[in-house]
Amino acid sequence: MALAQLLAPALANKLFAIDLQQRAVQATKKRLAAFLTPQDAEAVAVLHQCHSYFPAHLHPSTVKLIVYNLGYLPGGDKQVTTQADTTLTSLHAAVPLITPGGAISIVCYPGHSAGKQELLALTAWMEQLDNNVWSYCHHQWPSRPYSPQWLFLQRYTVGR
Ligand SMILES: C[S@@+](CC[C@H](N)C(=O)[O-])C[C@H]1O[C@@H](n2cnc3c(N)ncnc32)[C@H](O)[C@@H]1O
């Protein structure tokens, strides 16, 4: 929502929201309608699909920010949660899209089993990224391993 408000009114082809569940898609549309003008709310592409792929018309090195809020929908079916394999597929697709200076933000929830596996898989994958191209920040509360953790990748503006 904050991103939509920041970018409005230039939202068409600028902001995409993706979720596998119709319920989350509807909730997102409702929120957009509540906070934006009808025209702006309509301009956000809310996509009912897996995040393992992105809209085909997005060109490499053109996307400024991709935000992942992983896990399951609060108050929803906990079985419908993001999984390490499809999230990694998504990240493989995300990396070439990011423009120099752009970033990928990921919130992981290791308080449940799939979330814990996902966090381990993602941090292992990040370790092997080229550190001449990407900076990597892992934010966690050291004594609270089950609290949400934030992973942030930023592509350097120039190669180092
Ligand atoms: C923590 S909720 C985030 C909901 C909402 N996007 C937000 O940020 O408030 C995680 C969401 O991931 C969705 N999800 C699970 N597997 C997914 C997948 N493979 N592709 C896209 N979304 C998925 C769930 O349906 C759930 O709504």
Side-chain angles (χ1 to χ4, degrees):
M1 197 57 241
L3 287 174
Q5 286 176 311
L6 273 174
L7 292 171
L11 288 165
N13 280 318
K14 290 278 168 58
L15 184 63
F16 303 83
I18 294 176
D19 203 290
L20 196 61
Q21 284 189 87
Q22 187 61 42
R23 182 176 166 182
V25 166
Q26 291 309 335
T28 302
K29 286 184 175 173
K30 202 172 162 186
R31 233 170 122 64
L32 289 168
F35 287 95
L36 299 175
T37 66
Q39 198 181 0
D40 289 341
E42 200 56 41
V44 180
V46 186
L47 307 175
H48 180 205
Q49 60 161 77
C50 179
H51 61 186
S52 53
Y53 59 97
F54 294 103
H57 65 273
L58 294 177
H59 296 296
S61 298
T62 60
V63 175
K64 289 185 180 156
L65 178 65
I66 298 182
V67 176
Y68 293 84
N69 186 14
L70 300 176
Y72 52 79
L73 192 62
D77 181 353
K78 293 187 178 178
Q79 300 306 313
V80 188
T81 186
T82 54
Q83 302 285 341
D85 57 349
T86 38
T87 302
L88 283 176
T89 303
S90 180
L91 284 164
H92 281 284
V95 157
L97 294 176
I98 298 295
T99 194
I104 300 176
S105 168
I106 309 166
V107 175
C108 293
Y109 298 89
H112 64 113
S113 163
K116 190 174 177 184
Q117 286 175 31
E118 196 171 36
L119 175 65
L120 289 173
L122 265 53
T123 49
W125 172 78
M126 284 181 183
E127 284 291 339
Q128 53 75 50
L129 284 172
D130 184 348
N131 66 354
N132 289 307
V133 179
W134 294 93
S135 70
Y136 167 23
C137 162
H138 183 171
H139 190 278
Q140 65 186 118
W141 194 295
S143 61
R144 296 183 189 174
Y146 301 116
S147 292
Q149 297 187 22
W150 181 48
L151 310 174
F152 187 73
L153 286 171
Q154 184 166 24
R155 184 174 167 188
Y156 289 115
T157 46
V158 286
R160 294 196 310 158

